[in-house]
Amino acid sequence: MAGLIGRLGVALDKSDVTLASARNSGMEISEAQLQQIKARESLVKALVAVHAFQVAAVKKPIDEGFAMAAKTLRTPTCGP
């Protein structure tokens, strides 16, 4: 479970860097920032679910967070 949470944290950190670069380039990133906030909320939900000691309870918000982080990295205005 810790590995899943750690991987999502790393993915979100990479998204933060991508968003900062886009923002510093003058791009409009408000929608991507909203997705990033939602992805961070998924990370928090996963951390809370760890207390349930059930992988499925942790994996659902982790998968949601990864999906949102991937959207941020694929967004044409802020991704590669």
Side-chain angles (χ1 to χ4, degrees):
M1 284 192 263
L4 288 171
I5 291 171
R7 285 187 12 234
L8 178 55
V10 169
L12 294 174
D13 290 344
K14 288 180 182 179
S15 290
D16 285 337
V17 170
T18 300
L19 288 173
S21 177
R23 182 184 61 243
N24 292 337
S25 296
M27 295 179 180
E28 167 56 42
I29 61 165
S30 60
E31 182 62 32
Q33 285 178 315
L34 179 60
Q35 290 298 315
Q36 188 72 350
I37 290 167
K38 289 179 181 179
R40 290 268 175 212
E41 289 172 358
S42 291
L43 177 59
V44 171
K45 289 177 186 176
L47 290 168
V48 170
V50 165
H51 297 288
F53 296 107
Q54 296 178 1
V55 174
V58 175
K59 192 161 177 357
K60 183 177 186 274
I62 290 286
D63 290 342
E64 291 170 356
F66 271 126
M68 288 178 234
K71 282 182 186 178
T72 298
L73 291 172
R74 285 192 307 257
T75 301
T77 58
C78 61

